[in-house]
Amino acid sequence: MKETFFRTLSWLHTWAGLLVCWVLLLIFFAGSLSYFRHEMSLWAEPELHRGAFQDYQVDQIANQLEKGQSYIETHSAPTTQRWLINFPTERSPMLSFAWQLPPEKGQRRGKIEQHTALADGSGVITDVRDSRGGDFFYRLHFDLHYMSAITARYIVGVCTMFMLIALISGIVIHKRIFKDLFSFRQNKGARSWLDAHNVSSVIALPYHLMITYTGLITLMLMYIPWTVSTAYPEDNQAFLKELNPARQTEKASGIQAEQVRLSQLLPQVQAEWGDAPIKQVIVSYPKDQNSQVTFYQNTGKEVTDESSILVFNGVTGELKYASPHEVSGTVATYDTMMSLHTARFAAPLLRILFFFCGLLGCAMVASGTLMWAIRLRQKQQKAIDKGDKASRGLRLVEGLNFMFILGLPLGAAAFFYANRLLPVDFATRSAWEVHCFFIALAAMGAWAFFGRSRRHWQLALMLIGVLYCALPVLNAFTSPSHFIDNIRSQQWALVGFDIVALLLGSAMLFASTRLSAVVKTLQKPSRKNTATAEKVRRKQPDPSYANELASSSPLEEAKS
């Protein structure tokens, strides 16, 4: 504890945020992209960009069910564990037929073979490149990568708790929270970065609190399992069955039976749901005595994360389970928090707002880490001016800042370029898309080892900006449709991807231009100070960006 409550919370705010800042930056970055995971997945499969997109048609459901079942029966293997028929939705406007094979040794789930029907009904597209698409970023923000999911989720949970502590303590110590919302002083060194940190924190503060708290809620039973073990001391499976009875399917009996025609179940579905759209139909253990058919409703814009389902016996067609129309207050509260975190209910404009708030979260974390580096260097500046090297801690902080702040957007660009440039028939291409993301991130770390000056930041920003601005050009050369074609055919998901890439690339180039202007200014010292500047340059052979950003006054004065 410090001498005052305010200084104690200031210390807590600083270290709660800084100890996990780079993991938080990764989580915010990947989570922000996840709001458009379906749009990114569409972009990542250019084979489907022409002829496959279609709208949901109520009068065609029976025909599509019959066609899909016949197609899967003809083309799937006898050992298939599940059939899947996916209907067009607002964010995934395609009709597809798929089946899941048994898992191989070492696999948790079997591979899913998916074929997409052409919109005119003339055929099916079978050759589509293997890609993780937007699902990679969605899984990355809570499962990380190259480690077990359980380990990753505990790491993410700890970092999220630190984030919540930093937010609450930041609110308490923020004396001028509303005034600083409109305060940004340019070219003031540490004061400018503190203003940037304040603005990016306060302007999206409700979002930051919501996304952090609901992020903990999503996995609360993993973080606090004692409530379940207390209520169900001998059988956790009983809890899972009571929590979600629809997912507790019987195992395959091994006895063959005639599979019910899916189109025959449609009248019962319509009797329960009316004309509500169907999102997906899954047949578990087809042509088995314990076969089960599950219809999933497209909940669309409802503020819910729970699936509305109907479960039928796959042999007799008897209705076994229907989602309840009313739930308890506890379930409704949990469901609302889950839906707020995932934003699956959100219309495009609201998802854009969430995406923008997520980017502000990235800016909040990044500006905080840069301020930390500035403060460390200011404390060591006198020794550095005398010719001493910066401490290992300072070099590590500056290197990690360079690696993550620049490496994450570069990694995302590398992922999308790998999606289009790797051979389509490459056996492990989806895995190498992911590898390219982390290779680019590691490359920025190696770059930081050799130099982290303002000039290096400027060159890296220019590289990233060019790569993002060139993504629409890459799409035009590697896809059957380009930007203008997509506008004409009203494929707004693909149009939006190109526009966002151009905007992000332009922002990177603008930042690079501003840094370039500062570099030119620094390279033109006055004649009076030329000799002094040369002496300082010789004593300090490896200038850092943090040093060049720092003002002559210490950060403590900037905070006053």
Side-chain angles (χ1 to χ4, degrees), residues 491-511:
Q491 305 302 335
W492 303 120
L494 301 178
V495 173
F497 185 98
D498 287 348
I499 291 176
V500 171
L502 288 172
L503 290 175
L504 292 177
S506 299
M508 297 290 180
L509 291 175
F510 175 75

Side-chain angles (χ1 to χ4, degrees), residues 214-249:
T214 56
L216 288 171
I217 292 297
T218 57
L219 297 173
M220 64 179 183
L221 293 180
M222 191 183 83
Y223 300 142
I224 311 177
W226 305 286
T227 54
V228 176
S229 59
T230 301
Y232 299 84
E234 298 180 356
D235 188 8
N236 286 345
Q237 291 299 319
F239 165 74
L240 296 176
K241 185 174 182 179
E242 186 175 340
L243 177 68
N244 200 334
R247 292 188 179 182
Q248 308 305 312
T249 59

Side-chain angles (χ1 to χ4, degrees), residues 271-347:
E272 292 283 340
W273 291 345
D275 290 332
I278 301 171
K279 179 180 179 180
Q280 187 182 53
V281 178
I282 296 179
V283 180
S284 302
Y285 306 117
K287 297 186 177 181
D288 186 89
Q289 190 172 11
N290 291 339
S291 174
Q292 181 174 289
V293 180
T294 306
F295 282 75
Y296 289 82
Q297 185 181 134
N298 181 7
T299 53
K301 300 179 181 179
E302 295 181 16
V303 184
T304 179
D305 203 61
E306 286 293 325
S307 300
S308 181
I309 64 175
L310 297 173
V311 181
F312 297 90
N313 185 296
V315 177
T316 65
E318 176 189 359
L319 180 62
K320 297 172 59 178
Y321 175 83
S323 296
H325 296 291
E326 296 183 2
V327 295
S328 66
T330 303
V331 173
T333 301
Y334 176 78
D335 180 35
T336 301
M337 290 187 177
M338 285 285 291
S339 60
L340 284 173
H341 189 84
T342 59
R344 294 192 179 102
F345 66 91

